[in-house]
């Protein structure tokens, strides 16, 4: 059973601070990793994808990947109240012909004004 | 650029009934995946359709079936509904090689 683990939170950070969200995965062969943001009552929205070890930056978001440690993280700089949501980590399963994403349960982030 | 669309938005069904949910992928995408999201959980993969065929299936019973049409739109059918089928059903579109999947707004199914 391939697993993706996230702290459920809630993670509370003050406005303007850096929020750090973490995710570990069990499938050592996985090559594709994604972060989705989901507001309450809405569907997941893709915010970052990362495929290679290291950091990938997009605006206030930075995704970090360490395949040796089977660890992926998302940093949100200058956090805003509008960033308050559940953040889902998703990993594409390895193996020939596998396209499904395995999701963690999500980390609930609360940015306090 | 049209995003992923789903219909209906909400649906209430009685145990034992059958339901059909519909999805149109993002413009330029040819692959559709379906996920079930229970409250407080991450989405669970049901199956993926490409070239009008089921390409991969998750751990869901045969009561869950689907179809993809020549215009790449897709349907999810669930027979003999159970109370436990109550969930948010999400459609995601992507390109055939894999990569990023973009979700539609979802269909909230309630089984009573």
């Amino acid at each position: 059973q391939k697993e993706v683990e996230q702290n459920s939170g809630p993670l509370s950070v003050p406005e303007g601070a850096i929020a750090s969200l973490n995710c570990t995965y069990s499938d050592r062969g996985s090559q594709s990793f994604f972060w989705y943001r989901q507001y309450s009552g809405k569907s997941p929205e893709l915010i970052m994808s990362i495929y290679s070890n290291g950091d990938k930056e997009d605006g206030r978001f930075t995704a970090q990947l360490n395949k040796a440690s089977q660890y992926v993280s998302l940093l949100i700089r200058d956090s805003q109240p509008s960033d308050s949501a559940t953040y889902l980590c998703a990993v594409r399963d390895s193996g020939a012909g596998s396209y499904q994403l395995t999701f963690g349960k999500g980390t609930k982030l609360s940015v306090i004004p | 650029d049209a995003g992923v669309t789903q219909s209906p938005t909400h649906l209430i069904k009685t145990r034992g009934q059958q339901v059909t949910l519909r999805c149109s992928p993002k413009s330029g995408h040819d692959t559709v995946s379906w996920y079930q999201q229970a409250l407080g959980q991450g989405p669970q993969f049901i199956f993926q359709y490409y070239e009008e065929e089921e390409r991969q299936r998750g751990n869901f019973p045969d009561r869950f079936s689907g179809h993809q049409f020549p215009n790449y739109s897709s349907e999810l059918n669930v027979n003999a509904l159970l109370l436990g089928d109550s969930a948010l059903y999400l459609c995601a579109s992507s390109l055939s090689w894999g990569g990023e999947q973009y979700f539609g707004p979802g269909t909230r199914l309630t089984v009573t």
Side-chain angles (χ1 to χ4, degrees), chain A residues 1 32 34 36 38 41-46 48-49 51 56 88 92-93 97-106, chain B residues 33 35 37 40-45 48 55-58 88 90 96-106 108:
Chain A
Q1 180 84 14
S32 306
F34 308 91
Y36 288 83
Q38 187 171 27
K42 302 295 185 181
S43 65
E45 173 192 8
L46 179 66
M48 290 287 286
S49 59
Y51 303 97
K56 179 182 178 182
L88 297 164
R92 180 177 160 185
D93 292 358
S98 181
Y99 301 92
Q100 76 175 72
L101 299 181
T102 298
F103 284 81
K105 293 183 178 180
Chain B
S33 303
Y35 292 82
Q37 187 177 25
Q41 303 294 315
Q44 297 287 317
F45 177 77
Q48 185 182 87
R55 178 158 75 170
Q56 188 176 9
R57 188 179 184 91
L88 179 65
L90 297 161
S96 60
W97 61 268
E100 299 171 346
Q101 296 186 15
Y102 296 87
F103 285 96
R108 174 75 59 186

Side-chain angles (χ1 to χ4, degrees), chain B residues 23-80:
Chain B
C23 171
S24 291
K26 182 179 168 71
S27 178
H29 285 181
D30 58 6
T31 300
V32 173
S33 303
W34 287 92
Y35 292 82
Q36 180 195 68
Q37 187 177 25
L39 204 59
Q41 303 294 315
Q44 297 287 317
F45 177 77
I46 302 174
F47 42 53
Q48 185 182 87
Y49 275 84
Y50 170 64
E51 291 190 332
E52 303 179 46
E53 297 205 352
E54 183 183 290
R55 178 158 75 170
Q56 188 176 9
R57 188 179 184 91
N59 188 25
F60 278 80
D62 292 344
R63 299 187 297 109
F64 290 77
S65 63
H67 189 76
Q68 186 179 35
F69 299 93
N71 67 352
Y72 308 122
S73 67
S74 177
E75 288 182 348
L76 164 66
N77 300 293
V78 187
N79 294 322

Side-chain angles (χ1 to χ4, degrees), chain A residues 16-84:
Chain A
I18 295 176
S20 178
L21 304 163
N22 304 315
C23 170
T24 59
Y25 58 95
S26 65
D27 185 352
R28 183 171 290 278
S30 294
Q31 299 293 322
S32 306
F33 307 87
F34 308 91
W35 283 99
Y36 288 83
R37 177 176 62 199
Q38 187 171 27
Y39 293 112
S40 181
K42 302 295 185 181
S43 65
E45 173 192 8
L46 179 66
I47 54 173
M48 290 287 286
S49 59
I50 187 166
Y51 303 97
S52 303
N53 277 330
D55 295 358
K56 179 182 178 182
E57 186 174 318
D58 183 1
R60 296 186 296 111
F61 299 96
T62 298
Q64 299 175 317
L65 175 61
N66 184 327
K67 292 182 182 178
S69 299
Q70 295 174 242
Y71 176 92
V72 58
S73 65
L74 180 70
L75 301 178
I76 307 175
R77 290 182 300 280
D78 188 24
S79 295
Q80 301 297 308
S82 59
D83 295 325
S84 298

